[in-house]
Amino acid sequence: MPKMKSNRGAAKTFKVTGTGKIKRHKAYKSHILNKKTRKRKRNLRKATLVSAADSKRVNIMIQK
């Protein structure tokens, strides 16, 4: 059986931290920024962790 391929889009999107958690960027920062407050846009810059419910699925996609 051939080797499993990782999902290249997911591999470029998510990063694994030193402790094994998965980092992601927040959504809603690409367009229609006029109506969003400065505070909201500033908070969208920060990376966050993938939820525990989704982390197993993401791990399968980005398996190394």
Side-chain angles (χ1 to χ4, degrees), residues 40-56:
R40 184 171 163 193
K41 289 187 280 192
R42 187 167 60 243
N43 286 331
L44 287 172
R45 278 185 224 148
K46 301 171 185 171
T48 186
L49 296 175
V50 171
S51 70
D54 294 326
S55 61
K56 183 179 178 184

Side-chain angles (χ1 to χ4, degrees), residues 13-41:
T13 304
F14 301 103
K15 301 284 176 236
V16 181
T17 63
T19 56
K21 294 175 183 167
I22 304 166
K23 261 192 339 187
R24 68 171 178 87
H25 289 292
K26 293 183 181 172
Y28 309 111
K29 181 84 172 52
S30 56
H31 61 99
I32 313 175
L33 299 174
N34 294 332
K35 61 176 84 168
K36 294 169 189 159
T37 62
R38 279 183 194 164
K39 180 180 179 180
R40 184 171 163 193
K41 289 187 280 192

